[in-house]
Short mmCIF file of all heavy atoms in Angstrom, two decimals:
data_model
loop_
_atom_site.label_atom_id
_atom_site.label_comp_id
_atom_site.label_asym_id
_atom_site.label_seq_id
_atom_site.Cartn_x
_atom_site.Cartn_y
_atom_site.Cartn_z
N THR A 29 -4.21 14.20 -7.54
CA THR A 29 -3.36 15.39 -7.52
C THR A 29 -1.89 15.00 -7.55
O THR A 29 -1.02 15.88 -7.52
CB THR A 29 -3.64 16.27 -6.27
OG1 THR A 29 -3.48 15.47 -5.11
CG2 THR A 29 -5.03 16.84 -6.33
N GLY A 30 -1.61 13.72 -7.60
CA GLY A 30 -0.24 13.23 -7.69
C GLY A 30 -0.09 12.40 -8.94
O GLY A 30 -0.50 12.80 -10.01
N LYS A 31 0.49 11.24 -8.81
CA LYS A 31 0.71 10.35 -9.94
C LYS A 31 -0.30 9.20 -9.96
O LYS A 31 -0.83 8.81 -8.93
CB LYS A 31 2.11 9.74 -9.83
CG LYS A 31 3.24 10.75 -9.88
CD LYS A 31 4.57 10.02 -9.84
CE LYS A 31 5.76 10.90 -9.77
NZ LYS A 31 5.80 12.11 -10.47
N THR A 32 -0.51 8.65 -11.13
CA THR A 32 -1.24 7.40 -11.25
C THR A 32 -0.21 6.30 -11.42
O THR A 32 0.89 6.53 -11.94
CB THR A 32 -2.22 7.41 -12.44
OG1 THR A 32 -1.50 7.66 -13.64
CG2 THR A 32 -3.29 8.46 -12.26
N VAL A 33 -0.52 5.10 -10.99
CA VAL A 33 0.42 3.99 -11.07
C VAL A 33 -0.26 2.77 -11.65
O VAL A 33 -1.48 2.62 -11.56
CB VAL A 33 1.02 3.66 -9.69
CG1 VAL A 33 1.88 4.81 -9.18
CG2 VAL A 33 -0.05 3.31 -8.68
N ALA A 34 0.54 1.90 -12.24
CA ALA A 34 0.01 0.65 -12.80
C ALA A 34 1.01 -0.48 -12.56
O ALA A 34 1.47 -1.12 -13.50
CB ALA A 34 -0.27 0.83 -14.28
N PRO A 35 1.33 -0.76 -11.31
CA PRO A 35 2.29 -1.84 -11.03
C PRO A 35 1.62 -3.21 -11.09
O PRO A 35 0.40 -3.31 -11.10
CB PRO A 35 2.73 -1.54 -9.59
CG PRO A 35 1.51 -0.94 -8.98
CD PRO A 35 0.90 -0.11 -10.09
N LYS A 36 2.43 -4.24 -11.08
CA LYS A 36 1.89 -5.59 -10.99
C LYS A 36 1.27 -5.80 -9.61
O LYS A 36 0.24 -6.45 -9.49
CB LYS A 36 2.97 -6.63 -11.24
CG LYS A 36 3.45 -6.65 -12.67
CD LYS A 36 4.48 -7.72 -12.90
CE LYS A 36 4.91 -7.64 -14.34
NZ LYS A 36 5.60 -8.80 -14.80
N LEU A 37 1.90 -5.23 -8.58
CA LEU A 37 1.43 -5.37 -7.21
C LEU A 37 1.46 -4.01 -6.52
O LEU A 37 2.48 -3.35 -6.52
CB LEU A 37 2.30 -6.36 -6.43
CG LEU A 37 2.01 -6.52 -4.95
CD1 LEU A 37 0.61 -7.08 -4.71
CD2 LEU A 37 3.07 -7.40 -4.29
N TYR A 38 0.35 -3.63 -5.94
CA TYR A 38 0.27 -2.39 -5.17
C TYR A 38 -0.14 -2.78 -3.75
O TYR A 38 -1.19 -3.39 -3.55
CB TYR A 38 -0.77 -1.43 -5.76
CG TYR A 38 -0.83 -0.10 -5.07
CD1 TYR A 38 0.11 0.88 -5.36
CD2 TYR A 38 -1.80 0.17 -4.11
CE1 TYR A 38 0.08 2.11 -4.70
CE2 TYR A 38 -1.82 1.39 -3.46
CZ TYR A 38 -0.89 2.35 -3.76
OH TYR A 38 -0.92 3.55 -3.12
N ILE A 39 0.69 -2.44 -2.78
CA ILE A 39 0.38 -2.74 -1.39
C ILE A 39 0.03 -1.43 -0.70
O ILE A 39 0.89 -0.55 -0.57
CB ILE A 39 1.56 -3.44 -0.68
CG1 ILE A 39 1.92 -4.73 -1.42
CG2 ILE A 39 1.19 -3.73 0.78
CD1 ILE A 39 3.16 -5.42 -0.89
N ALA A 40 -1.22 -1.29 -0.30
CA ALA A 40 -1.72 -0.07 0.34
C ALA A 40 -1.70 -0.28 1.85
O ALA A 40 -2.50 -1.06 2.38
CB ALA A 40 -3.12 0.25 -0.14
N VAL A 41 -0.80 0.39 2.54
CA VAL A 41 -0.67 0.24 3.98
C VAL A 41 -1.25 1.46 4.66
O VAL A 41 -0.74 2.58 4.51
CB VAL A 41 0.81 0.06 4.39
CG1 VAL A 41 0.94 -0.09 5.90
CG2 VAL A 41 1.42 -1.12 3.67
N GLY A 42 -2.34 1.27 5.38
CA GLY A 42 -2.97 2.38 6.10
C GLY A 42 -3.66 3.38 5.21
O GLY A 42 -3.94 4.49 5.62
N VAL A 43 -3.95 2.99 3.98
CA VAL A 43 -4.62 3.87 3.03
C VAL A 43 -6.12 3.64 3.15
O VAL A 43 -6.59 2.53 2.99
CB VAL A 43 -4.14 3.59 1.59
CG1 VAL A 43 -4.93 4.40 0.59
CG2 VAL A 43 -2.65 3.85 1.46
N SER A 44 -6.86 4.72 3.44
CA SER A 44 -8.30 4.56 3.62
C SER A 44 -9.01 4.21 2.31
O SER A 44 -9.95 3.44 2.30
CB SER A 44 -8.91 5.83 4.22
OG SER A 44 -8.77 6.90 3.30
N GLY A 45 -8.55 4.81 1.23
CA GLY A 45 -9.16 4.53 -0.06
C GLY A 45 -10.07 5.62 -0.55
O GLY A 45 -11.12 5.36 -1.12
N ALA A 46 -9.65 6.87 -0.36
CA ALA A 46 -10.42 7.99 -0.92
C ALA A 46 -10.50 7.80 -2.42
O ALA A 46 -9.60 7.23 -3.06
CB ALA A 46 -9.72 9.31 -0.59
N ILE A 47 -11.58 8.24 -3.02
CA ILE A 47 -11.83 8.04 -4.45
C ILE A 47 -10.66 8.54 -5.29
O ILE A 47 -10.30 7.92 -6.29
CB ILE A 47 -13.18 8.65 -4.90
CG1 ILE A 47 -13.52 8.25 -6.32
CG2 ILE A 47 -13.16 10.17 -4.77
CD1 ILE A 47 -13.81 6.78 -6.49
N GLN A 48 -10.02 9.63 -4.89
CA GLN A 48 -8.90 10.17 -5.65
C GLN A 48 -7.73 9.18 -5.69
O GLN A 48 -7.03 9.07 -6.69
CB GLN A 48 -8.40 11.50 -5.05
CG GLN A 48 -9.40 12.60 -5.09
CD GLN A 48 -10.34 12.63 -3.89
OE1 GLN A 48 -10.45 11.67 -3.12
NE2 GLN A 48 -11.06 13.72 -3.72
N HIS A 49 -7.54 8.47 -4.61
CA HIS A 49 -6.47 7.48 -4.56
C HIS A 49 -6.85 6.23 -5.35
O HIS A 49 -6.03 5.68 -6.09
CB HIS A 49 -6.14 7.11 -3.11
CG HIS A 49 -4.87 6.35 -2.97
ND1 HIS A 49 -3.64 6.97 -2.99
CD2 HIS A 49 -4.62 5.04 -2.86
CE1 HIS A 49 -2.70 6.06 -2.87
NE2 HIS A 49 -3.27 4.86 -2.79
N ILE A 50 -8.07 5.79 -5.21
CA ILE A 50 -8.53 4.59 -5.92
C ILE A 50 -8.43 4.79 -7.43
O ILE A 50 -7.99 3.90 -8.15
CB ILE A 50 -9.95 4.21 -5.47
CG1 ILE A 50 -9.90 3.68 -4.04
CG2 ILE A 50 -10.57 3.19 -6.42
CD1 ILE A 50 -11.23 3.39 -3.41
N VAL A 51 -8.78 5.96 -7.91
CA VAL A 51 -8.68 6.25 -9.34
C VAL A 51 -7.22 6.13 -9.79
O VAL A 51 -6.93 5.60 -10.86
CB VAL A 51 -9.23 7.67 -9.65
CG1 VAL A 51 -8.83 8.13 -11.04
CG2 VAL A 51 -10.74 7.70 -9.49
N ALA A 52 -6.29 6.57 -8.96
CA ALA A 52 -4.88 6.57 -9.32
C ALA A 52 -4.23 5.19 -9.28
O ALA A 52 -3.17 5.00 -9.87
CB ALA A 52 -4.12 7.53 -8.42
N ILE A 53 -4.85 4.22 -8.61
CA ILE A 53 -4.25 2.88 -8.52
C ILE A 53 -5.01 1.83 -9.32
O ILE A 53 -4.63 0.66 -9.32
CB ILE A 53 -4.11 2.41 -7.05
CG1 ILE A 53 -5.48 2.23 -6.39
CG2 ILE A 53 -3.22 3.36 -6.27
CD1 ILE A 53 -5.42 1.56 -5.02
N GLN A 54 -6.04 2.24 -10.04
CA GLN A 54 -6.87 1.26 -10.73
C GLN A 54 -6.14 0.50 -11.84
O GLN A 54 -6.60 -0.54 -12.28
CB GLN A 54 -8.15 1.91 -11.26
CG GLN A 54 -7.95 2.94 -12.32
CD GLN A 54 -9.25 3.64 -12.66
OE1 GLN A 54 -10.29 3.38 -12.08
NE2 GLN A 54 -9.19 4.56 -13.61
N GLY A 55 -4.97 0.96 -12.23
CA GLY A 55 -4.20 0.25 -13.23
C GLY A 55 -3.36 -0.89 -12.67
O GLY A 55 -2.73 -1.63 -13.42
N ALA A 56 -3.34 -1.05 -11.36
CA ALA A 56 -2.55 -2.12 -10.73
C ALA A 56 -3.16 -3.48 -11.05
O ALA A 56 -4.38 -3.64 -11.06
CB ALA A 56 -2.50 -1.91 -9.23
N ASP A 57 -2.30 -4.47 -11.29
CA ASP A 57 -2.79 -5.83 -11.54
C ASP A 57 -3.41 -6.43 -10.29
O ASP A 57 -4.48 -7.03 -10.34
CB ASP A 57 -1.65 -6.74 -12.02
CG ASP A 57 -1.21 -6.42 -13.44
OD1 ASP A 57 -1.93 -5.70 -14.16
OD2 ASP A 57 -0.12 -6.88 -13.82
N LYS A 58 -2.72 -6.28 -9.15
CA LYS A 58 -3.20 -6.81 -7.87
C LYS A 58 -3.04 -5.74 -6.80
O LYS A 58 -2.01 -5.07 -6.74
CB LYS A 58 -2.41 -8.06 -7.44
CG LYS A 58 -2.56 -9.24 -8.36
CD LYS A 58 -3.93 -9.85 -8.24
CE LYS A 58 -4.05 -11.04 -9.18
NZ LYS A 58 -5.39 -11.49 -9.34
N ILE A 59 -4.04 -5.62 -5.95
CA ILE A 59 -4.01 -4.66 -4.85
C ILE A 59 -4.17 -5.42 -3.54
O ILE A 59 -5.11 -6.18 -3.37
CB ILE A 59 -5.12 -3.61 -4.99
CG1 ILE A 59 -4.94 -2.80 -6.29
CG2 ILE A 59 -5.14 -2.68 -3.77
CD1 ILE A 59 -6.11 -1.88 -6.61
N VAL A 60 -3.20 -5.21 -2.64
CA VAL A 60 -3.25 -5.75 -1.29
C VAL A 60 -3.45 -4.56 -0.36
O VAL A 60 -2.68 -3.60 -0.42
CB VAL A 60 -1.96 -6.52 -0.92
CG1 VAL A 60 -2.01 -6.96 0.53
CG2 VAL A 60 -1.77 -7.71 -1.84
N ALA A 61 -4.48 -4.61 0.46
CA ALA A 61 -4.76 -3.51 1.38
C ALA A 61 -4.60 -3.97 2.81
O ALA A 61 -5.10 -5.02 3.19
CB ALA A 61 -6.18 -2.99 1.16
N ILE A 62 -3.90 -3.14 3.61
CA ILE A 62 -3.75 -3.38 5.04
C ILE A 62 -4.28 -2.16 5.75
O ILE A 62 -3.78 -1.05 5.54
CB ILE A 62 -2.27 -3.61 5.41
CG1 ILE A 62 -1.70 -4.80 4.63
CG2 ILE A 62 -2.13 -3.80 6.92
CD1 ILE A 62 -0.19 -4.91 4.71
N ASN A 63 -5.32 -2.34 6.56
CA ASN A 63 -5.92 -1.22 7.25
C ASN A 63 -6.58 -1.72 8.53
O ASN A 63 -7.14 -2.82 8.55
CB ASN A 63 -6.94 -0.52 6.35
CG ASN A 63 -7.28 0.86 6.81
OD1 ASN A 63 -7.81 1.04 7.91
ND2 ASN A 63 -6.98 1.84 5.98
N SER A 64 -6.55 -0.91 9.56
CA SER A 64 -7.18 -1.31 10.83
C SER A 64 -8.70 -1.11 10.80
O SER A 64 -9.40 -1.65 11.63
CB SER A 64 -6.57 -0.52 11.99
OG SER A 64 -6.76 0.86 11.79
N ASP A 65 -9.20 -0.35 9.83
CA ASP A 65 -10.63 -0.10 9.71
C ASP A 65 -11.23 -1.08 8.71
O ASP A 65 -11.02 -0.96 7.50
CB ASP A 65 -10.87 1.35 9.24
CG ASP A 65 -12.35 1.66 9.02
OD1 ASP A 65 -13.22 0.80 9.28
OD2 ASP A 65 -12.62 2.79 8.56
N GLU A 66 -11.97 -2.04 9.21
CA GLU A 66 -12.54 -3.06 8.33
C GLU A 66 -13.52 -2.49 7.31
O GLU A 66 -13.84 -3.14 6.31
CB GLU A 66 -13.22 -4.16 9.14
CG GLU A 66 -14.42 -3.69 9.93
CD GLU A 66 -15.00 -4.75 10.82
OE1 GLU A 66 -14.25 -5.57 11.36
OE2 GLU A 66 -16.23 -4.77 10.99
N ASN A 67 -13.99 -1.27 7.51
CA ASN A 67 -14.90 -0.62 6.58
C ASN A 67 -14.22 0.37 5.65
O ASN A 67 -14.89 1.12 4.94
CB ASN A 67 -16.02 0.09 7.36
CG ASN A 67 -16.85 -0.90 8.15
OD1 ASN A 67 -17.28 -1.92 7.62
ND2 ASN A 67 -17.07 -0.61 9.41
N ALA A 68 -12.90 0.39 5.64
CA ALA A 68 -12.16 1.32 4.76
C ALA A 68 -12.51 1.05 3.31
O ALA A 68 -12.55 -0.10 2.87
CB ALA A 68 -10.67 1.17 4.99
N PRO A 69 -12.79 2.09 2.54
CA PRO A 69 -13.16 1.92 1.13
C PRO A 69 -12.12 1.18 0.28
O PRO A 69 -12.48 0.55 -0.71
CB PRO A 69 -13.34 3.35 0.63
CG PRO A 69 -13.64 4.16 1.84
CD PRO A 69 -12.89 3.48 2.96
N ILE A 70 -10.86 1.20 0.68
CA ILE A 70 -9.82 0.52 -0.08
C ILE A 70 -10.11 -0.97 -0.23
O ILE A 70 -9.78 -1.59 -1.23
CB ILE A 70 -8.42 0.74 0.55
CG1 ILE A 70 -7.31 0.28 -0.40
CG2 ILE A 70 -8.29 0.06 1.90
CD1 ILE A 70 -7.02 1.20 -1.51
N PHE A 71 -10.80 -1.56 0.74
CA PHE A 71 -11.11 -2.99 0.68
C PHE A 71 -12.10 -3.32 -0.44
O PHE A 71 -12.15 -4.46 -0.88
CB PHE A 71 -11.66 -3.48 2.02
CG PHE A 71 -10.63 -3.52 3.10
CD1 PHE A 71 -10.86 -2.92 4.32
CD2 PHE A 71 -9.41 -4.17 2.93
CE1 PHE A 71 -9.93 -2.96 5.34
CE2 PHE A 71 -8.46 -4.21 3.93
CZ PHE A 71 -8.72 -3.60 5.15
N GLN A 72 -12.84 -2.34 -0.92
CA GLN A 72 -13.78 -2.58 -2.02
C GLN A 72 -13.07 -2.81 -3.35
O GLN A 72 -13.63 -3.42 -4.25
CB GLN A 72 -14.77 -1.41 -2.15
CG GLN A 72 -15.66 -1.27 -0.94
CD GLN A 72 -16.54 -0.03 -1.00
OE1 GLN A 72 -16.61 0.64 -2.01
NE2 GLN A 72 -17.21 0.26 0.10
N VAL A 73 -11.84 -2.34 -3.48
CA VAL A 73 -11.09 -2.52 -4.72
C VAL A 73 -9.92 -3.48 -4.56
O VAL A 73 -9.29 -3.85 -5.54
CB VAL A 73 -10.58 -1.18 -5.28
CG1 VAL A 73 -11.75 -0.27 -5.64
CG2 VAL A 73 -9.63 -0.49 -4.32
N ALA A 74 -9.63 -3.88 -3.33
CA ALA A 74 -8.47 -4.75 -3.07
C ALA A 74 -8.75 -6.19 -3.49
O ALA A 74 -9.85 -6.69 -3.33
CB ALA A 74 -8.11 -4.69 -1.60
#
Side-chain angles (χ1 to χ4, degrees):
T29 55
K31 298 183 185 324
T32 57
V33 294
K36 291 182 181 196
L37 175 63
Y38 184 80
I39 302 174
V41 180
V43 175
S44 66
I47 189 66
Q48 296 87 345
H49 193 80
I50 289 174
V51 166
I53 65 171
Q54 65 187 2
D57 288 345
K58 296 288 180 193
I59 298 171
V60 175
I62 301 168
N63 198 298
S64 60
D65 177 3
E66 64 185 35
N67 297 313
I70 192 76
F71 290 129
Q72 295 174 9
V73 297

